[in-house]
Amino acid sequence: MQKDLFLNRHIGPNSETEQKMLDSLGMDSLEQLIDETVPESIRLNAPLKIPSAISEQEYAKHIQELANNNKRFRSFIGQGYYSTYTPLVIQRNVFENPGWYTQYTPYQAEIAQGRLEALLNFQTMVSSLTGLPIANASLLDEGSAAAEAMIMGFNKVSRKAKNKTKFFVDANTLSQTIDVLKTRANPLGIELIIDAVESFTDDEDVFGMLLSYPNAQGEVVDWSEWVNARKEAQDYFMVMATDLLALTLLKSPGSMGVDCAIGNSQRFGVPLGYGGPHAAFFACTEGFKRSIPGRIIGVSKDRHDNTALRMALQTREQHIRRDKATSNICTAQALLAVMASCYAVYHGPEGLQGIAQEIHRKTQRLHAGLNNAGYSIINSQFFDTLSIVVEKDKLSALKARAEAHQINLFYKANEVRLSLDECTTEEELQHLAKIFECNIPEQMPKQPDLPGRSDDILDHEVFHQYRSETAMMRYLKRLENKDLSLMHSMIALGSCTMKLNATIELQAISLPAFNQVHPFVPRNQVNGYYQLIEQLASYLNEITGFDATSFQPNSGAQGEYAGLLSIQAYHRANGQSNRNIVLIP
C-alpha cells in the first residue's frame, strides 16, 4: 500500500481500527457490511470514472500549476470588492490556524467563548460604524444581506397592509446585489422597482427601499433630508447598502434615519478570493430585534456572576423554529467575520481612519489630475471611487494602455470606473496617470466636503488595547484557547464546517494567485480557476450521476433554496406553474 496517499493521511480509520469496528459488528469484511446494509438495487455496477488517488506532494504541485495559470493583474475594479492587506498576525494566527478554522458552530456556548467574543467584537464594530443599535454576527454575502433586509421589512409591513408588495431599489446599487434581490423577490410576490432615486415618487404600494452609500458610481450622497421627507410622507422601510471603511469617515446610516444597513466586511483584511467567501454585515433598529436574520451574540452572567457569552434570540433560526423561522439563513461566515473584527481590533479607530484618509487623499489627487486633463467625472463627491466618461473613439486605446500596465479597470459603455484601496502605492498612481494620460498633483487639492462623522467610533476598550503584534498575538491565543476545535478532540457533530478539510486542501486560499483575484477580471486571467472548477464539477457529476454542478450557493441553506428555485423554474418552463407544493419529510 502506498503510504503517502492522501486518504491514508486524512481519512481517520486505519486497517486496525477498521477491524475493531467490524469485530464489534460481527462482520468479517467491509464488503459484508455493505452487502447487509446497502440494497443491491441502488449500488453502482462499475467503478467511478475519476482519476486515481494522488499523494499530498503531487496535489501540492497540481494546485500550484493551476494557480500559475491565473494572471496576476492589479485590479482597481471595486464594485464591492477591494484589495486589502491582511496583517500577518491575523493571517497566521486566525486565517491559517486550525484552532480557529476547525471550530464547530458555537451551539455549545461553554466551549465557544473565544469565538463568541470575536463575533461580539464584529457586532460591536458594525453597530458603531453604522450607527444602529443591533447587528448580527454576519451573513453570507452582501447580496444575501440586502435580500434578507428586504424580506424582513416585507414581513413586518405586509402583516398590516397586504397591498404593499413593491420594493424600490436605487439603480446605482451594485449589480450583484440587484441580481440577488431579483432572485429572492420573485417567489414572495415582491415587485422590484429599479430606477434612479431622483425619479421616485411616493407610492402607497411601496413598502420599502434600498439606497446605496456610496453608490456603484462612487457618489456619496447625504440622504438625511431625503429619508426624512419620505418617512414623513409614508412610513417606508429604509435599507442602506454601505461600506464599513468609508463609514470611518462618513456620516453613519443610523444618523440619517434608516432602519437597516447592510454590506460586505471584505476590505477589513479578508482576501478577494475571486469573490468570496466574505462576511456580510447586517444592522438595524431596535424595532426589528426579533426579526433580524442570522445570529446575535449576547452577554450574560453565569451563576458565579462572571461574564458569559451565548447566542441570543436563537428561536428565530431555522434549526429551531423550522417552518416558522423568519429567514432561511441560519448560518454565518464566522471565520471571516472573526478576521474582519480582528482587523478592527488591531488597527483601532485611529488606524482605520488613517487607512481611509490615505485612500481618500489619493483619490482626490487622481480626481484633480483627471479633471485637469479634461475628463468629465460623473460623481462630484466620492470616497475611493471615480466614474470617468471616456469618448468611445479613445476607449480602446485606454484599455490597451491599462492592459500593458497589467491593470484592470471597470468598463461600462463609455464610462470607466476605478476604485483605490489600502494597497494602492504611489507607483500605481503614476501607472494610472499614464493610462489616462494625465498628471497627478503631489499636493491634495481642495475638494467638496463629504458628509462627515461628528461622533466617535469604536469606543469600546477592545479596540484600544492591542496595538503591538505581540499583544494582538496573545489576545488571539487567549480567545483560541477558550474554544473546542480539532486541535483538542474529535467533534462528533455534523460536517457543515471546514473542520474536515485537510491542511493541503486549504493551501490554495493562501496562494496570492488565487486569493488576490477580483471576481470581475476578464475570463482570460482566470484559466487556473476555471480548470479547477471544471475538474471538480466533472468529478461531482460522475459521483452524483447528474449532468451539471453549480458552486454558486455558499451554504447548505442556500444550496437547498437554489435547488427549490431550480425545480420551480423547471416546472414553469414546462407550463406547469400549478405544481407549487413541496413535500418535505
Side-chain angles (χ1 to χ4, degrees):
M1 181 177 68
Q2 188 176 338
K3 296 290 186 182
D4 64 347
L5 286 180
F6 178 88
L7 66 90
N8 298 326
R9 289 288 190 185
H10 302 291
I11 306 301
N14 56 30
S15 56
E16 292 180 5
T17 54
E18 279 183 14
Q19 191 58 52
K20 286 181 181 179
M21 288 189 283
L22 290 170
D23 290 343
S24 68
L25 294 169
M27 304 282 180
D28 294 328
S29 65
L30 287 176
E31 288 73 19
Q32 181 185 354
L33 174 63
I34 292 170
D35 286 338
E36 296 190 19
T37 55
V38 182
E40 180 75 29
S41 60
I42 65 170
R43 290 192 223 165
L44 292 176
N45 296 316
L48 292 170
K49 296 176 183 178
I50 57 176
S52 301
I54 61 176
S55 68
E56 183 173 304
Q57 296 94 317
E58 290 169 323
Y59 176 79
K61 179 182 178 184
H62 168 68
I63 207 70
Q64 185 61 62
E65 288 171 349
L66 291 181
N68 293 342
N69 288 335
N70 291 330
K71 295 180 181 179
R72 289 190 60 194
F73 280 33
R74 177 68 163 96
S75 290
F76 294 97
I77 297 172
Q79 300 303 296
Y81 307 96
Y82 307 89
S83 292
T84 180
Y85 179 72
T86 308
L88 287 176
V89 68
I90 297 173
Q91 178 176 325
R92 290 177 64 86
N93 291 285
V94 179
F95 189 49
E96 298 172 347
N97 180 358
W100 284 96
Y101 69 69
T102 66
Q103 299 161 348
Y104 191 68
T105 307
Y107 295 135
Q108 289 179 263
E110 65 274 18
I111 55 171
Q113 288 294 294
R115 190 161 20 131
L116 292 177
E117 181 174 333
L119 292 173
L120 180 64
N121 292 344
F122 179 84
Q123 292 175 186
T124 305
M125 169 190 79
V126 170
S127 181
S128 174
L129 293 177
T130 61
L132 290 163
I134 298 175
N136 72 13
S138 80
L139 288 175
L140 296 174
D141 53 63
E142 182 167 349
S144 293
E148 291 295 321
M150 173 185 70
I151 295 167
M152 184 176 78
F154 177 67
N155 288 340
K156 186 161 186 177
V157 174
S158 64
R159 284 197 293 266
K160 300 177 182 177
K162 299 296 183 184
N163 65 302
K164 292 183 179 294
T165 58
K166 296 179 181 179
F167 188 70
F168 180 86
V169 181
D170 179 359
N172 262 324
T173 297
L174 298 173
S175 61
Q176 63 270 26
T177 298
I178 291 177
D179 286 343
V180 176
L181 286 170
K182 289 177 179 178
T183 300
R184 297 289 297 279
N186 181 266
L188 297 173
I190 297 173
E191 179 185 344
L192 294 184
I193 303 170
I194 304 169
D195 206 345
V197 176
E198 308 84 62
S199 69
F200 179 79
T201 55
D202 292 313
D203 183 341
E204 63 180 15
D205 293 336
V206 172
F207 70 87
M209 54 191 66
L210 183 143
L211 306 172
S212 291
Y213 173 73
N215 67 21
Q217 290 184 313
E219 187 74 47
V220 176
V221 176
D222 185 344
W223 293 108
S224 303
E225 291 184 7
W226 196 88
V227 169
N228 290 333
R230 299 285 71 73
K231 291 244 179 188
E232 286 179 8
Q234 191 173 313
D235 191 19
Y236 295 106
F237 172 68
M238 294 283 189
V239 184
M240 185 171 282
T242 189
D243 179 308
L244 288 181
L245 191 59
L247 291 183
T248 64
L249 303 180
L250 301 179
K251 181 186 289 190
S252 72
S255 69
M256 296 187 201
V258 303
D259 301 290
C260 182
I262 61 95
N264 187 357
S265 64
Q266 176 267 321
R267 67 191 311 177
F268 275 31
V270 180
L272 284 162
Y274 199 35
H278 305 136
F281 62 87
F282 190 110
C284 62
T285 55
E286 286 278 355
F288 293 93
K289 66 184 176 185
R290 298 206 175 263
S291 305
I292 185 172
R295 302 186 180 116
I296 296 176
I297 310 307
V299 182
S300 298
K301 294 284 185 180
D302 67 13
R303 63 191 180 92
H304 301 294
D305 204 36
N306 296 316
T307 298
L309 307 177
R310 89 286 185 207
M311 289 203 292
L313 300 177
Q314 275 195 86
T315 52
R316 71 198 177 293
E317 286 207 35
Q318 178 188 5
H319 69 281
I320 293 177
R321 289 175 62 86
R322 297 178 182 266
D323 60 313
K324 294 180 181 178
T326 56
S327 167
N328 79 309
I329 301 299
C330 68
T331 189
Q333 293 288 11
L335 178 68
L336 307 172
V338 167
M339 286 182 66
S341 76
C342 291
Y343 182 92
V345 168
Y346 191 45
H347 287 297
E350 296 85 1
L352 292 177
Q353 287 176 326
I355 292 169
Q357 286 164 348
E358 181 63 16
I359 293 171
H360 185 51
R361 277 194 290 266
K362 287 175 178 173
T363 311
Q364 287 177 313
R365 290 171 55 206
L366 181 56
H367 177 275
L370 292 167
N371 198 46
N372 292 339
Y375 284 98
S376 174
I377 301 173
I378 295 171
N379 51 324
S380 58
Q381 289 194 311
F382 52 85
F383 166 58
D384 61 0
T385 298
L386 301 175
S387 292
I388 307 136
V389 176
V390 178
E391 296 173 16
K392 287 186 178 181
D393 59 337
K394 297 181 179 179
L395 192 58
S396 58
L398 186 147
K399 283 184 178 180
R401 291 194 296 272
E403 189 168 346
H405 283 87
Q406 296 193 335
I407 283 176
N408 292 318
L409 305 172
F410 185 84
Y411 304 97
K412 186 175 181 179
N414 65 330
E415 179 185 339
V416 179
R417 298 177 192 169
L418 61 86
S419 298
L420 304 190
D421 52 56
E422 72 166 312
C423 298
T424 304
T425 64
E426 193 64 35
E427 182 182 10
E428 288 172 340
L429 271 184
Q430 297 309 316
H431 287 322
L432 290 171
K434 291 177 182 177
I435 292 168
F436 285 92
E437 297 182 323
C438 68
N439 295 312
I440 298 176
E442 292 186 11
Q443 298 299 319
M444 182 180 70
K446 177 64 178 174
Q447 297 286 341
D449 291 332
L450 292 171
R453 294 191 82 109
S454 58
D455 57 328
D456 293 332
I457 61 169
L458 304 178
D459 54 2
H460 190 279
E461 63 181 2
V462 74
F463 300 107
H464 298 264
Q465 292 178 310
Y466 307 107
R467 288 295 168 273
S468 76
E469 181 179 295
T470 304
M472 187 65 186
M473 176 182 66
R474 290 170 179 166
Y475 176 60
L476 293 174
K477 183 57 68 174
R478 285 201 302 275
L479 296 186
E480 177 194 336
N481 288 340
K482 295 178 181 179
D483 262 66
L484 181 74
S485 70
L486 281 188
M487 300 278 282
H488 305 93
S489 71
M490 171 190 175
I491 303 174
L493 291 169
S495 58
C496 60
T497 68
M498 296 205 307
K499 72 179 191 301
L500 297 183
N501 288 343
T503 307
I504 188 64
E505 292 177 297
L506 297 173
Q507 179 194 17
I509 65 173
S510 291
L511 297 177
F514 281 120
N515 73 17
Q516 296 301 326
V517 179
H518 193 284
F520 297 158
V521 300
R523 168 65 178 81
N524 64 0
Q525 292 180 22
V526 283
N527 288 332
Y529 256 115
Y530 271 77
Q531 286 176 266
L532 185 154
I533 292 168
E534 290 165 2
Q535 284 178 3
L536 181 55
S538 70
Y539 302 158
L540 292 178
N541 293 345
E542 172 68 12
I543 292 167
T544 62
F546 286 110
D547 297 320
T549 299
S550 170
F551 298 105
Q552 188 62 32
N554 56 359
S555 79
Q558 291 286 63
E560 292 156 8
Y561 186 71
L564 288 171
L565 291 182
S566 298
I567 293 168
Q568 182 188 60
Y570 173 81
H571 288 315
R572 286 179 174 174
N574 286 284
Q576 296 179 327
S577 299
N578 59 302
R579 300 180 68 177
N580 58 5
I581 297 174
V582 179
L583 300 180
I584 302 176

